[in-house]
Amino acid sequence: MGDLRHSPVLNGVFPDGPDLVLLHPAVSARHWRRREILAALRPETVLKGLAGVSVVGFALLAGNGFAGKFILTAVALIVVLAGWRARCAVREYRGLRDDVPRTRLRRGEGWRSRDFADLGPDVARMVRELLAGVDELHRTPARAWIEPALPGEAHRVVWEALCCLDRGRDAHALAEELATDPDAGEDLVAAARQAVTTIDHDLDEVARHLRGCLVLTRAWETKLRRTDLTHRADRVLAALPGRTELRGLTSAAEMLPRNVFAHVTAARDLTQAGEFPWERPPSQWPRLTLLPPHRATPPGPGDPAGEEQP
C-alpha cells in the first residue's frame, strides 16, 4: 500500500478498485505494519499453531522413545507447513504487488478520495488535489530545506478539512432536497445554499494555500536541479583538454605528413620508381585524385616536375 516513512498518502487496493488513502495523523508506520500482519493471519493458521504447541507438550510428556520422536517429527512438519501456508496467505492478501495490501480501513482511520465522490465532481477533484498535495509535500526533495514539522502540519490541516467536509454532507443533501421541494421557503433554500457555499469556499482556500506551498517547493526543486546541473557541467568542462594541449596535438599531427613525404620521396629516388601522380602536369593527373596535403596549389605549366620539399 505504501511506506508511511515517506508519506501518509497511500495507494490502496479495495474491492471497488485502487484509490488514494489519507491516513489519520495519529497512525504511525509501526501501527500500520501491525495492522497488515494481523489482517494477514487467518483463524486456521492460529489453530494449527496452537495444535502444534499442544502436541509438542504431549511429546515431551511421552518420553524419549520412538513415539516421542515420531510425534516431534510430525509436529515439526506441521509447523513448517503452517508457516508456509501463512506466507502464502500473506502474499495472496497483498495482491499482485508487495507494497499493496488489501487492508480494509477502519472508521476514522483514513479517508479515501472516493469517500467524497457523492458530493459532486468539483469536490471530488478538490479532495484528490488535497491528497496529492500532501503526498508531494512529504516526498519533495525540498523537504530537507524546509521546517521538518511543516509536512506533518499540512497533513493535519488537510485531515481536519476532510473531516469538516464530511460533516457538511447533511448540508449538501439538505440544499439539494430544498432546491427541488416546492414547499420549501426561499429563506430555507438560501440558508442551505449559503452554508454549502461557505464550506466549499473555505475548503477551496485550504487547497489554494496548499497549492502555494507546492509552487514554492517546486520552484526550489528547479533551483536545486539547476545548481546540480551547474556543478556537473563545471566538473565535465574542467576535465576537457585545454587549448594549449590541443594546439600541441595539432602541431604534432601537422608534422606527420611532411615526415612521411620526405621518407617516401627519398625511397622513390633510391629505387628509381618514377614520379608520383601529383608531380605530373595537371592534364596527366588521374581523375578524382585529391592533392596531397603538402601541395597548396597544383603546379603550373612552367613548374618543374621534380620533387618539392615540404
Side-chain angles (χ1 to χ4, degrees), residues 81-103:
L81 292 177
W84 176 78
R85 185 67 185 90
R87 184 175 181 84
C88 293
V90 171
R91 289 182 177 178
E92 293 175 0
Y93 186 78
R94 284 177 175 269
L96 298 179
R97 291 174 49 190
D98 289 340
D99 60 343
V100 184
R102 299 177 182 272
T103 302

Side-chain angles (χ1 to χ4, degrees), residues 225-248:
R225 284 194 297 269
R226 181 171 180 81
T227 302
D228 179 65
L229 291 175
T230 301
H231 292 334
R232 289 172 54 191
D234 291 342
R235 290 195 302 268
V236 172
L237 295 178
L240 293 177
R243 184 62 178 169
T244 303
E245 181 180 358
L246 292 176
R247 286 180 177 177

Side-chain angles (χ1 to χ4, degrees), residues 133-273:
V134 172
D135 184 57
E136 181 177 345
L137 200 58
H138 278 77
R139 297 180 184 273
T140 174
R143 183 175 180 178
W145 299 85
I146 61 179
E147 185 180 355
L150 193 145
E153 181 65 15
H155 179 197
R156 184 191 64 80
V157 170
V158 171
W159 174 267
E160 294 183 359
L162 295 182
C163 291
C164 293
L165 186 61
D166 180 65
R167 288 158 53 190
R169 290 180 186 274
D170 293 339
H172 281 81
L174 179 62
E176 294 178 359
E177 181 181 353
L178 293 177
T180 58
D181 191 346
D183 297 332
E186 295 183 359
D187 54 341
L188 293 178
V189 175
R193 287 180 178 175
Q194 180 62 32
V196 171
T197 302
T198 301
I199 295 174
D200 293 343
H201 176 268
D202 291 341
L203 294 180
D204 284 338
E205 285 295 302
V206 173
R208 184 175 67 86
H209 292 309
L210 182 62
R211 197 180 305 118
C213 294
L214 298 180
V215 169
L216 294 173
T217 55
R218 290 169 185 172
W220 182 238
E221 288 178 22
T222 303
K223 291 290 186 181
L224 292 177
R225 284 194 297 269
R226 181 171 180 81
T227 302
D228 179 65
L229 291 175
T230 301
H231 292 334
R232 289 172 54 191
D234 291 342
R235 290 195 302 268
V236 172
L237 295 178
L240 293 177
R243 184 62 178 169
T244 303
E245 181 180 358
L246 292 176
R247 286 180 177 177
L249 292 176
T250 303
S251 300
E254 184 180 2
M255 296 301 299
L256 294 177
R258 296 183 179 183
N259 193 1
V260 173
F261 177 81
H263 285 78
V264 167
T265 53
R268 186 274 315 272
D269 294 340
L270 291 176
T271 59
Q272 297 181 355

Side-chain angles (χ1 to χ4, degrees), residues 254-310:
E254 184 180 2
M255 296 301 299
L256 294 177
R258 296 183 179 183
N259 193 1
V260 173
F261 177 81
H263 285 78
V264 167
T265 53
R268 186 274 315 272
D269 294 340
L270 291 176
T271 59
Q272 297 181 355
E275 59 186 7
F276 289 105
W278 61 81
E279 296 175 326
R280 301 171 185 172
S283 60
Q284 300 180 9
W285 288 356
R287 299 183 62 183
L288 301 178
T289 300
L290 298 178
L291 290 175
H294 64 280
R295 295 291 295 268
T297 57
D303 293 343
E307 302 173 2
E308 178 177 347
Q309 298 298 328

